[in-house]
C-alpha cells in the first residue's frame, strides 16, 4: 500500500512541479526566518542572527537541503533521467559524423536481421490468417508402417508416408465424430480451363472443395453466394466460385458475371460468387468448384484417397479428444472394411503444419550470415566508441573531479549507446520492410523453374510479410541488446578512468595499453568475420556464374516452348490422353510453317519432369533398396533435330523405335556415366517403372543443364511418345521461330483439335532458363550485398581506428620525425601493425570458412565448398581494402610537421 | 551542537516527529524547537534531516501538511498527525519499548547471568 501511495505522490509532484518547488522554498524560508527571529529576540543583531541561524539550522546552502528533500521521492530519478537523455542527445548531435556512421552501420545490420526474422516469423511462427486458426485441424491418413510425418511435410502424394483421405472416409467420419463443427475437404490442385464466349480459353489453377469449406474457414464471398450443401452432391449442376484475381483479370470486375454460365474443362458451370482479394485457400488457388465437378468424383469409386480434410474443432473439444475419437472411428471402420483400413492411421495436426516451409539449410545460412554482419557491426561500433571515449577522457576526468559520480558518467554514456541503438533499430525496421519482400522472392526455390500458378506449387497462401507484434518486439529487443553489446566494453573502459593520470598529462600513447589491445582484438574479429562472409558470398557467386556460363549445349536462341494440360474430365483414361497426344504429334510433324517443331511431355532443361524408377537389365537391386530415379521424357517426332541436341553416340529417336517389341530410347551422358561407366551403353536394355516399358538404348545425348536444386539433378531417358501406354496428361510444344507467330499459329492448331484447351507458359528457352536461375541469382546477389556491407563496415572500422591512432600518437610521430624518420617510415609503422592484424584475421577467417564449408555446400551445385579460387580472390580483396583503409590516414600522419606535433595539446 | 544522526537515530527520527505532532500540530521550526526542548538539549535536528523526514512521512500518509497563518502573520506549513500516523506511532513506540528493555537487560547483565 505504501508504495502505491509513494507512486501517486511522486506522480502528483511531477505534475505540479513548479508549485511544489515554490512551496518548499517558502517553507524553508519561513523556517529560517523563525530561527532568525528567535535569535533577534535574544538580543543579536539582524546580521549576526542570520549568520548564526544559518549555521545552526544547516541552511547555509538552501539548495542542498532542497536537493535532499527532493531526493526522497522517486520522481527525481525520472527528472535526472530526462536530463541525462537530453545531454546524451546533445553530445551525439555535436559529433554528427560519428553518430551518423554508427546509426547507419547498426541500422543496416539490424535491418538485415529483421528481414530474415520476418521470413522466419511468417514461415514458422505465425499462424494462418483465418478466424481462430488454432482450432483448424488438418486430417490425413498415414501409412502406419512408416514413421510419423515431420511438420511441414506436404499434402497427399508428395511424401511417401502421408496419404490423402477418400470421400467415403469423409462421409463416415462426419457421421461418427462429434469433436468438430464440421469437416471439409479439398482435392489436389488441378487445371481448370475456363472458356466462355467473351474471351479465349484460359487456364487457371483451381480446387475442388466440399460445399462447407468456406464456412469452416469462415471466409465469405464478397459477391454472390457461398456454396450450398446441395452443390457437392453427385449429379448436381456445376457451379464455379471465382477468385478475386480472376474476376478482375478476365471479367474486369464486372458484377454481372454472377449467374453467368461458362464452361470449365468443357463442362457447363454457373458462376455463383467471388471471394475476397488475397484469398487463395488452400495454396495459390485461383478458383473453386464443388467436389461433384471433379473428375474423380464422377468416374472413380469413393475410395480414391486424394483429399485433404480440414476440420474446425468445436469450442468444447480439444486436439487429444479429437484424435482419440478419430482413432476409435477408424478402428470401427477397420472392423467393417478391413481391406480399406489396413495399415492406415490418422494424422490430426494444426492446419499450418500442412504447408511447406522454406528449406532449412537456406534459412540457417541466411540466419548465420546476418548474425555475422550484426557481430561485425557491434565490433565496429564498440571500436568507434572506444576511440571516442578516449578522445573524451579529459572531459570525463574533469567531470569526475568536480563531483559527478562515476555511476552517473557511465550511465550517461550508456544512454548515448542506447540512443544510437534505438535510432539504428528504427532505421533497420524501415529497411526490413523493404528487404523482407526482396528476400521472399528468392524463396521460390522450393519449386525452382516452375512457373507460379502452375500445378506444382504448394507455397502457402498466407505468406504475410507485414509487420506484426512479434516483429516489433524482435526489433526493439535487438536494439536494446545491441546497446548493451557494443556499449559494455567502452563503458567498462571508461569506468576505469583514473582522474589523476588523465588530468596530469594528455595520454601520450593512445590510451591505456589495455584499451588498445581490446581495439586491436575487435578489429581482428571484424576482419575475420568479414572474410567468412566474403568467402561464402564468393562461393555462391562462383557457383552461380558457373551455372550461368555453363555450356547450354543446345542453341536456345529462337526456341519457344508452350505447355498444355489435358483435364481429367474430358480425357479420363490414359488411352484417351495418349490418343490426343499422338494426334498432336502427327499434326506437328506434318506442319510446314516452321522448320522445326516438335513436342515432348515436358519442356527441356526444366526441373519438375516426371521421375520414374529405372531398372537396368543385368543389374540387380537389393531387396528394400530404392531403385534410382530418372527423368522420363516422352518425345515426339524430330525432337533431337528441333532442339539440335547433339548425340555423342548412336542416333536420335526415329519412327522405328516406336514399334512394339522394338522400343528404343536415348539416354543422356549423365545416365551413361552413372550406369555404364566402363561399358558401351548402346544396345543395353532398361525398363522404366516397375511394370513399365522396356527399351533398348539406341543413343547417348549430351547432358542438358537443368535448373533447380542440386539434389534434383537426374539422368534423363528420352523415349518415343508412341511407346508409352500411359503418358502424363501434359505436353510441351517446342518450336523454332518467333514468339508471336509461333504462339498464334500453334494456338490455332490446338484449338482446331479441342477448342477449350488453352496453351500456357509461352516463353522462349532463354526466358525459361533465366526464370529457372532466378532464385539462385537472387540469393547469391543478396548474399554478395551482405558481404559488401560487411566489407564496408570492416574497412570503415580499420579507417577509423587508424585515424584515431594517428591523432593520438601525433606527439610520438613528431618525436620520431625529429629524430630522423621520414614520411615513409611513419606510414610503414602503421601499415606494419595493420598487416599483423590482417594476417591473424585471415588465418581465423579462413579457418572459420572451412569450418562452415559443409553448410554452404548444401547450397552449391557446381562448386566445391573448399574451392581455392574464390577464397583466394576474397582474401586478396579484403587485404587490399584493408591496406587502403590504413594508407589513407597513415599518409596524413606522414605529413605531420614535427614541430607542431610536439607542441600538440 | 549538531547531532550527526546515526543510523539508529535516523530511524527513530520519524517516530519522534510523529510523537511531537501527536501532542500538537506544528510547523517545521516548531518541531525542531519542541524536540530540543523535550529532550533537554540532547537532540538538535537540522533542516537537512528534518525536512526530508517530513517529506517522507507526508508521502506515506502518516502526517498531513496544511498551510496556515502563524502568529507573526506569515504563512507556514503546519503538519498534522493522521489516523494511520497515530496507529503507526503506537506500533513503533511499543517496538521501541521492547527493544530498549531488552538492550537494558543485556547491558546490565553481570557475568554470572549469561
Amino acid at each position: 500500500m505504501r508504495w502505491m501511495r509513494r507512486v501517486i505522490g511522486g506522480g502528483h509532484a511531477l505534475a505540479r512541479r513548479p508549485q511544489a518547488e515554490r512551496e518548499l522554498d517558502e517553507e524553508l524560508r519561513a523556517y529560517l526566518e523563525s530561527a532568525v527571529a528567535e535569535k533577534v529576540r535574544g538580543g543579536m543583531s539582524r546580521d549576526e542572527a542570520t549568520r548564526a541561524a544559518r549555521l545552526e539550522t544547516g541552511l547555509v546552502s538552501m539548495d542542498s537541503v532542497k536537493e535532499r528533500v527532493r531526493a526522497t521521492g522517486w520522481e527525481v530519478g525520472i527528472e535526472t533521467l530526462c536530463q541525462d537523455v537530453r545531454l546524451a542527445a546533445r553530445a551525439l548531435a555535436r559529433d554528427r559524423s560519428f553518430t551518423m556512421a554508427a546509426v547507419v552501420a547498426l541500422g543496416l545490420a539490424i535491418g538485415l536481421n529483421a528481414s530474415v526474422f520476418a521470413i522466419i516469423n511468417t514461415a514458422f511462427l505465425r499462424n494462418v490468417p483465418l478466424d481462430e486458426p488454432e482450432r483448424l485441424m488438418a486430417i490425413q491418413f498415414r501409412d502406419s508402417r512408416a514413421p510419423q510425418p515431420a511438420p511441414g511435410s506436404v499434402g497427399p502424394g508428395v511424401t511417401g508416408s502421408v496419404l490423402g483421405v477418400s470421400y467415403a472416409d469423409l462421409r463416415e467420419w462426419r457421421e461418427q465424430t462429434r469433436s468438430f463443427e464440421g469437416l471439409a475437404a479439398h482435392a489436389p490442385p488441378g487445371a481448370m480451363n475456363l472458356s466462355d464466349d467473351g474471351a479465349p480459353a484460359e487456364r487457371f489453377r483451381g480446387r475442388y472443395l466440399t460445399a462447407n469449406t468456406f464456412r469452416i474457414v469462415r471466409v465469405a464471398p464478397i459477391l454472390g453466394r457461398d456454396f450450398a450443401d446441395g452443390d457437392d452432391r453427385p449429379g448436381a449442376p456445376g457451379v464455379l466460385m471465382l477468385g478475386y484475381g480472376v474476376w478482375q483479370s478476365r471479367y474486369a470486375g464486372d458484377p454481372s458475371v454472377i449467374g453467368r454460365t461458362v464452361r470449365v474443362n468443357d463442362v457447363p458451370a454457373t458462376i455463383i460468387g467471388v471471394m475476397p482479394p488475397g484469398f487463395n485457400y488452400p495454396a495459390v488457388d485461383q478458383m473453386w468448384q464443388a467436389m461433384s465437378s471433379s473428375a474423380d468424383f464422377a468416374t472413380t469409386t469413393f475410395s480414391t484417397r486424394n483429399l485433404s480434410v480440414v476440420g474446425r474443432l468445436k469450442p468444447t473439444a480439444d486436439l487429444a479428444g479429437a484424435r482419440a475419437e478419430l482413432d476409435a472411428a477408424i478402428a470401427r471402420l477397420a472392423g467393417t472394411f478391413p481391406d480399406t483400413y489396413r495399415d492406415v492411421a490418422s494424422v490430426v495436426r494444426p492446419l499450418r503444419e500442412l504447408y511447406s516451409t522454406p528449406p532449412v539449410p537456406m534459412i540457417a545460412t541466411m540466419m548465420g550470415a546476418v548474425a555475422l554482419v550484426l557481430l561485425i557491426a557491434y565490433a565496429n561500433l564498440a571500436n568507434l566508441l572506444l576511440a571516442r571515449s578516449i578522445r573524451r577522457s579529459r572531459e570525463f576526468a574533469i567531470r569526475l573531479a568536480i563531483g559527478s559520480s562515476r555511476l552517473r558518467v557511465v550511465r550517461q554514456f550508456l544512454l548515448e549507446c542506447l540512443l544510437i541503438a534505438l535510432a539504428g533499430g528504427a532505421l533497420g525496421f524501415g529497411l526490413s520492410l523493404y528487404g523482407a519482400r526482396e528476400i521472399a522472392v528468392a524463396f521460390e526455390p522450393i519449386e525452382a523453374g516452375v512457373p507460379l500458378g502452375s500445378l506444382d506449387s504448394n507455397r502457402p497462401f498466407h505468406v504475410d510479410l507485414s509487420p506484426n507484434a512479434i516483429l516489433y518486439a524482435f526489433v526493439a529487443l535487438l536494439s536494446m541488446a545491441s546497446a548493451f553489446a557494443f556499449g559494455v566494453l567502452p563503458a567498462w573502459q571508461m569506468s576505469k578512468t583514473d582522474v589523476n593520470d588523465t588530468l596530469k598529462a594528455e595520454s601520450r600513447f593512445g590510451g591505456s595499453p589495455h584499451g588498445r589491445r581490446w581495439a586491436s582484438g575487435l578489429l581482428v574479429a571484424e576482419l575475420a568475420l568479414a572474410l567468412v562472409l566474403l568467402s561464402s558470398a564468393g562461393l555462391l557467386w562462383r557457383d552461380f556464374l558457373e551455372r550461368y556460363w555453363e555450356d547450354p549445349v543446345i542453341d536456345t536462341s529462337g526456341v519457344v516452348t508452350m505447355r498444355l494440360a489435358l483435364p481429367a474430365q474430358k480425357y479420363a483414361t490414359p488411352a484417351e490422353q495418349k490418343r490426343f497426344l499422338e494426334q498432336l504429334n502427327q499434326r506437328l510433324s506434318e506442319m510446314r510453317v516452321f522448320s522445326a517443331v516438335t513436342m515432348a511431355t515436358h519442356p527441356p532443361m526444366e526441373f519438375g519432369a516426371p521421375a520414374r524408377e529405372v531398372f537396368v537389365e543385368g543389374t540387380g537391386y537389393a531387396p528394400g533398396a530404392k531403385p534410382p530415379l530418372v527423368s522420363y521424357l516422352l518425345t515426339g517426332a524430330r525432337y533431337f533435330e528441333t532442339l539440335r541436341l547433339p548425340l555423342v553416340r548412336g542416333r536420335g529417336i526415329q519412327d522405328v523405335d516406336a514399334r512394339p517389341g522394338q522400343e528404343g530410347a536415348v539416354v543422356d551422358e549423365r545416365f551413361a556415366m552413372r550406369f555404364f561407366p566402363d561399358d558401351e551403353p548402346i544396345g543395353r536394355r532398361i525398363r522404366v517403372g516397375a511394370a513399365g516399358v522396356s527399351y533398348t538404348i539406341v543413343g547417348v545425348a549430351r547432358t542438358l543443364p537443368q535448373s533447380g536444386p542440386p539434389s534434383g539433378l537426374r539422368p534423363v531417358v528420352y523415349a518415343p511418345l508412341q511407346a508409352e501406354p500411359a503418358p502424363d496428361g501434359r505436353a510441351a510444344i517446342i518450336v523454332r521461330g518467333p514468339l508471336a507467330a509461333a504462339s498464334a499459329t500453334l494456338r490455332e492448331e490446338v484449338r482446331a483439335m479441342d477448342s477449350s484447351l488453352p496453351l500456357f507458359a509461352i516463353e522462349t528457352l532463354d526466358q525459361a532458363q533465366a526464370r529457372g536461375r532466378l532464385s539462385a541469382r537472387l540469393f547469391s546477389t543478396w548474399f554478395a550485398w551482405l558481404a559488401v556491407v560487411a566489407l564496408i563496415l570492416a574497412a570503415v572500422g580499420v579507417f577509423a581506428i587508424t585515424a584515431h591512432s594517428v591523432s593520438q600518437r601525433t606527439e610520438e610521430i613528431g618525436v620520431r620525425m625529429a629524430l630522423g624518420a621520414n614520411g615513409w617510415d611513419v606510414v610503414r609503422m602503421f601499415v606494419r601493425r595493420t598487416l599483423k592484424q590482417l594476417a591473424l584475421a585471415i588465418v581465423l577467417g579462413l579457418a572459420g570458412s572451412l569450418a562452415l564449408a559443409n553448410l554452404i555446400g548444401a547450397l552449391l551445385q557446381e562448386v566445391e565448398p573448399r574451392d581455392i579460387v574464390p577464397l583466394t580472390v576474397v582474401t586478396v580483396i579484403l587485404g587490399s581494402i584493408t591496406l587502403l583503409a590504413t594508407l589513407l590516414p597513415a599518409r596524413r600522419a606522414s605529413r605531420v610537421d614535427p614541430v607542431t606535433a610536439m607542441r600538440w595539446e | 551542537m549538531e547531532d550527526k544522526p546515526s543510523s539508529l537515530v535516523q530511524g527513530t527520527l520519524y517516530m519522534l516527529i510523529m510523537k511531537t505532532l501527536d501532542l500538537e500540530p506544528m510547523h517545521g521550526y516548531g518541531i525542531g524547537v519542541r524536540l530540543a526542548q523535550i529532550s533537554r538539549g540532547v537532540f538538535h535536528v537540522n533542516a537537512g534531516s528534518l525536512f526530508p523526514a517530513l517529506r517522507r512521512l507526508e508521502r506515506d500518509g502518516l502526517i498531513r501538511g496544511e498551510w496556515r497563518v502563524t502568529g507573526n502573520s506569515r504563512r507556514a506549513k503546519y503538519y498534522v498527525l493522521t489516523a494511520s500516523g497515530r496507529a503507526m506511532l503506537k506500533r513503533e513506540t511499543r517496538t521501541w519499548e521492547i527493544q530498549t528493555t531488552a538492550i537494558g537487560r543485556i547491558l546490565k547483565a553481570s557475568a554470572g547471568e549469561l
Side-chain angles (χ1 to χ4, degrees):
Chain A
M1 268 310 291
R2 194 169 307 177
W3 65 263
M4 225 163 49
R5 239 191 249 275
R6 293 209 185 136
V7 166
I8 295 173
H12 209 53
L14 259 181
R16 19 183 313 268
R17 197 153 73 92
Q19 190 184 3
E21 284 294 305
R22 268 200 309 268
E23 284 186 3
L24 181 60
D25 190 62
E26 197 175 339
E27 196 177 353
L28 288 175
R29 271 184 216 288
Y31 184 92
L32 185 62
E33 190 48 46
S34 308
V36 171
E38 188 172 321
K39 296 239 179 299
V40 166
R41 268 202 300 272
M44 289 187 175
S45 75
R46 181 114 190 135
D47 283 337
E48 274 176 18
T50 313
R51 231 191 340 259
R54 277 212 137 105
L55 277 173
E56 241 180 62
T57 58
L59 271 176
V60 175
S61 159
M62 224 178 246
D63 284 322
S64 73
V65 174
K66 282 187 188 171
E67 274 286 330
R68 294 193 62 173
V69 173
R70 274 196 228 116
T72 58
W74 59 269
E75 73 274 15
V76 75
I78 301 275
E79 285 174 23
T80 327
L81 194 64
C82 289
Q83 222 172 26
D84 284 346
V85 169
R86 260 197 298 258
L87 277 172
R90 264 214 299 262
L92 287 176
R94 255 189 309 221
D95 218 341
R96 216 172 313 221
S97 55
F98 158 81
T99 310
M100 269 205 314
V103 169
V104 167
L106 193 62
L108 280 176
I110 291 186
L112 288 168
N113 275 277
S115 306
V116 174
F117 185 80
I119 305 280
I120 293 176
N121 187 21
T122 191
F124 294 101
L125 298 176
R126 268 174 133 161
N127 213 332
V128 180
L130 293 171
D131 198 24
E132 286 192 295
E134 64 283 354
R135 303 210 66 80
L136 286 172
M137 298 294 149
I139 307 172
Q140 298 162 302
F141 272 134
R142 67 179 172 87
D143 188 344
S144 56
R145 295 166 294 182
Q148 281 267 356
S153 58
V154 222
V158 178
T159 38
S161 60
V162 172
L163 309 167
V165 177
S166 74
Y167 201 78
D169 297 324
L170 181 66
R171 222 178 22 194
E172 297 289 340
W173 291 348
R174 274 177 173 166
E175 283 172 28
Q176 297 195 30
T177 61
R178 299 272 161 271
S179 312
F180 295 99
E181 280 179 16
L183 292 172
H186 53 83
M192 288 186 180
N193 297 326
L194 179 60
S195 54
D196 59 359
D197 301 323
E202 267 182 284
R203 176 187 160 280
F204 297 105
R205 181 176 139 129
R207 289 272 185 171
Y208 299 103
L209 310 165
T210 54
N212 61 350
T213 302
F214 292 152
R215 265 169 278 147
I216 298 283
V217 300
R218 295 194 190 148
V219 181
I222 56 171
L223 204 60
R225 68 167 180 87
D226 197 354
F227 291 106
D229 281 327
D231 288 330
D232 66 356
R233 239 171 269 143
V239 290
L240 174 67
M241 178 76 77
L242 293 179
Y244 191 81
V246 177
W247 184 50
Q248 290 294 321
S249 67
R250 190 177 172 86
Y251 299 108
D254 180 4
S256 73
V257 299
I258 308 292
R260 196 185 293 184
T261 306
V262 295
R263 300 178 79 81
V264 179
N265 292 342
D266 223 28
V267 174
T270 314
I271 298 180
I272 56 168
V274 180
M275 293 306 281
F279 183 74
N280 302 102
Y281 179 84
V284 284
D285 303 292
Q286 297 164 299
M287 41 202 247
W288 302 269
Q289 280 198 296
M291 199 70 92
S292 49
S293 304
S294 144
D296 293 329
F297 205 82
T299 61
T300 58
T301 67
F302 283 155
S303 56
T304 310
R305 288 216 166 114
N306 63 348
L307 301 179
S308 298
V309 172
V310 174
R312 185 179 281 279
L313 284 175
K314 282 189 183 150
T316 49
D318 70 337
L319 182 56
R323 280 193 177 129
E325 210 182 16
L326 213 50
D327 285 337
I330 290 174
R332 273 195 300 271
L333 287 164
T336 325
F337 307 103
D339 287 322
T340 322
Y341 289 93
R342 193 208 312 266
D343 292 329
V344 288
S346 71
V347 182
V348 185
R349 38 193 187 156
L351 179 61
R352 53 188 295 213
E353 290 191 23
L354 197 62
Y355 293 102
S356 56
T357 46
V360 174
M362 189 168 270
I363 289 272
T365 317
M366 295 178 89
M367 273 174 41
V370 291
L372 281 183
V373 175
L374 194 63
L375 286 177
I376 295 179
Y378 285 167
N380 218 340
L381 255 71
N383 249 340
L384 287 176
L385 281 167
L386 261 178
R388 185 156 162 270
S389 67
I390 290 177
R391 270 202 307 271
R392 294 168 71 189
S393 54
R394 211 138 208 254
E395 175 198 331
F396 294 145
I398 293 177
R399 284 169 64 185
L400 286 174
I402 60 172
S404 182
S405 77
R406 207 167 276 262
L407 183 64
R408 178 117 188 232
V409 170
V410 173
R411 196 172 63 194
Q412 244 172 312
F413 174 78
L414 284 177
L415 269 175
E416 283 177 26
C417 292
L418 191 64
L419 282 180
I420 295 177
L422 289 176
L427 177 63
F429 183 77
L431 289 176
S432 77
L433 293 179
Y434 163 77
R437 233 180 301 273
E438 291 298 306
I439 301 177
V441 179
F443 266 111
E444 299 302 298
I446 305 172
E447 290 91 30
V450 173
L452 197 58
S454 82
L455 302 176
D456 309 307
S457 167
N458 211 11
R459 183 169 64 90
F461 74 100
H462 61 274
V463 171
D464 176 15
L465 290 170
S466 58
N468 70 340
I470 297 189
L471 191 63
Y472 290 128
F474 176 78
V475 174
L477 280 174
L478 189 61
S479 309
M480 292 199 276
S482 305
F484 184 73
F486 65 75
V488 68
L489 184 64
W492 179 64
Q493 277 294 309
M494 225 178 66
S495 69
K496 298 186 2 193
T497 315
D498 188 291
V499 178
N500 278 323
D501 283 346
T502 318
L503 282 180
K504 263 195 285 200
E506 179 65 48
S507 22
R508 273 168 198 274
F509 299 120
S512 66
H514 219 53
R516 256 211 305 188
R517 212 168 309 145
W518 273 114
S520 188
L522 282 174
L523 202 60
V524 170
E526 262 191 79
L527 290 170
L529 288 174
L531 187 63
V532 171
L533 269 179
L534 279 168
S535 58
S536 309
L539 282 171
L540 281 171
W541 253 90
R542 176 143 201 233
D543 188 60
F544 170 68
L545 284 175
E546 290 281 316
R547 288 204 270 186
Y548 191 79
W549 291 115
E550 71 185 327
D551 182 8
V553 180
I554 62 176
D555 185 6
T556 56
S557 63
V559 178
V560 179
T561 60
M562 48 201 90
R563 302 164 68 160
L564 56 86
L566 301 176
Q569 287 99 333
K570 209 168 176 192
Y571 304 89
T573 63
E576 285 176 47
Q577 290 170 359
K578 185 176 153 86
R579 189 167 48 236
F580 180 91
L581 292 174
E582 285 187 340
Q583 224 182 337
L584 180 63
N585 188 26
Q586 187 67 23
R587 288 180 83 114
L588 291 176
S589 66
E590 287 163 7
M591 276 182 84
R592 293 284 160 255
V593 180
F594 297 107
S595 57
V597 60
T598 182
M599 62 175 280
T601 46
H602 208 82
M605 299 193 281
E606 246 186 54
F607 178 68
R612 293 275 188 281
E613 298 166 341
V614 69
F615 301 88
V616 178
E617 220 161 85
T619 30
Y621 298 108
K626 295 187 45 179
L629 293 174
V630 294
S631 286
Y632 185 43
L633 212 57
L634 299 171
T635 59
R638 298 190 289 170
Y639 183 80
F640 292 91
E641 292 83 352
T642 306
L643 279 177
R644 298 193 197 140
L645 178 53
L647 293 142
V648 293
R649 307 185 71 84
R651 57 175 176 78
I653 293 182
Q654 292 162 1
D655 290 334
V656 62
D657 299 314
R659 270 195 238 140
Q662 291 180 323
E663 294 92 350
V666 171
V667 297
D668 71 351
E669 277 177 310
R670 192 176 274 140
F671 189 102
M673 281 196 288
R674 172 95 58 97
F675 297 102
F676 305 107
D678 306 307
D679 291 335
E680 169 66 58
I682 309 275
R684 299 294 294 269
R685 288 187 59 80
I686 59 174
R687 191 173 76 244
V688 178
V693 183
S694 289
Y695 297 94
T696 309
I697 298 180
V698 298
V700 179
R702 293 276 305 276
T703 309
L704 286 179
Q706 275 180 42
S707 61
S711 52
L713 297 175
R714 288 194 276 261
V716 183
V717 172
Y718 301 94
L721 180 59
Q722 296 90 326
E724 170 61 52
D728 240 343
R730 292 188 268 174
I733 300 177
I734 303 154
V735 56
R736 224 174 247 288
L739 181 73
S743 62
T745 313
L746 284 158
R747 233 191 222 118
E748 273 313 305
E749 281 293 317
V750 172
R751 192 194 277 257
M753 294 177 65
D754 179 349
S755 64
S756 74
L757 204 58
L759 288 176
F760 61 94
I762 301 173
E763 53 185 1
T764 64
L765 265 189
D766 283 335
Q767 288 171 335
Q769 273 199 310
R771 191 172 34 78
R773 287 197 211 105
L774 181 66
S775 68
R777 198 187 77 208
L778 284 175
F779 190 67
S780 37
T781 310
W782 180 82
F783 220 95
W785 274 118
L786 263 190
V788 166
V789 166
L791 186 61
I792 293 178
L793 283 176
V796 165
V798 170
F799 184 92
I801 295 305
T802 314
H804 169 75
S805 178
V806 163
S807 67
Q808 290 295 113
R809 295 165 72 174
T810 315
E811 267 195 47
E812 175 197 343
I813 296 172
V815 169
R816 281 180 194 255
M817 292 185 90
L819 290 178
N822 64 16
W824 276 118
D825 292 327
V826 174
V827 171
R828 250 213 315 268
M829 183 173 78
F830 287 103
V831 170
R832 208 153 8 129
R833 191 181 65 158
T834 307
L835 276 179
K836 266 192 283 193
Q837 292 166 332
L838 187 62
L840 186 58
I842 288 177
V843 168
L844 289 175
L846 286 179
S849 309
L850 292 176
L852 293 177
N854 288 334
L855 196 62
I856 298 287
L859 298 167
L860 298 175
Q861 199 170 324
E862 305 282 332
V863 176
E864 279 299 302
R866 286 159 221 267
D867 193 339
I868 289 293
V869 172
L871 290 178
T872 319
V873 168
V874 300
T875 308
V876 168
I877 292 178
L878 182 69
S880 15
I881 299 268
T882 309
L883 281 175
L884 189 66
T886 313
L887 276 176
L888 287 173
R891 252 173 35 125
R892 221 178 336 133
S894 70
R895 296 208 213 98
V896 162
D897 175 19
V899 179
T900 349
M902 288 197 283
R903 253 195 274 135
W904 186 269
E905 195 59 31
Chain B
M1 272 218 287
E2 266 171 41
D3 253 4
K4 201 118 190 92
S6 67
S7 51
L8 177 60
V9 179
Q10 180 67 25
T12 59
L13 182 58
Y14 296 136
M15 196 175 58
L16 297 177
I17 293 176
M18 282 196 284
K19 179 63 184 178
T20 314
L21 292 177
D22 188 30
L23 301 174
E24 165 184 11
M26 259 311 171
H27 56 70
Y29 186 71
I31 296 174
V33 165
R34 187 59 62 88
L35 277 175
Q37 243 175 25
I38 302 185
S39 68
R40 318 251 169 128
V42 175
F43 288 135
H44 287 270
V45 196
N46 64 6
S49 314
L50 180 62
F51 281 96
L54 284 172
R55 181 66 81 252
R56 179 58 63 77
L57 286 169
E58 203 182 3
R59 274 288 168 84
D60 287 348
L62 299 170
I63 64 178
R64 195 178 56 242
E66 307 167 342
W67 283 94
R68 293 189 202 165
V69 181
T70 64
N72 9 2
S73 50
R74 300 193 103 238
R75 250 175 42 115
K77 194 170 183 185
Y78 276 74
Y79 293 97
V80 177
L81 193 61
T82 63
S84 50
R86 197 153 284 135
M88 171 71 81
L89 177 60
K90 223 199 248 174
R91 275 201 301 276
E92 293 288 295
T93 314
R94 178 149 335 129
T95 313
W96 175 259
E97 278 161 4
I98 294 174
Q99 283 179 346
T100 33
T101 319
I103 293 175
R105 228 180 269 143
I106 295 174
L107 289 177
K108 280 215 209 79
S110 57
E113 285 173 36
L114 285 168

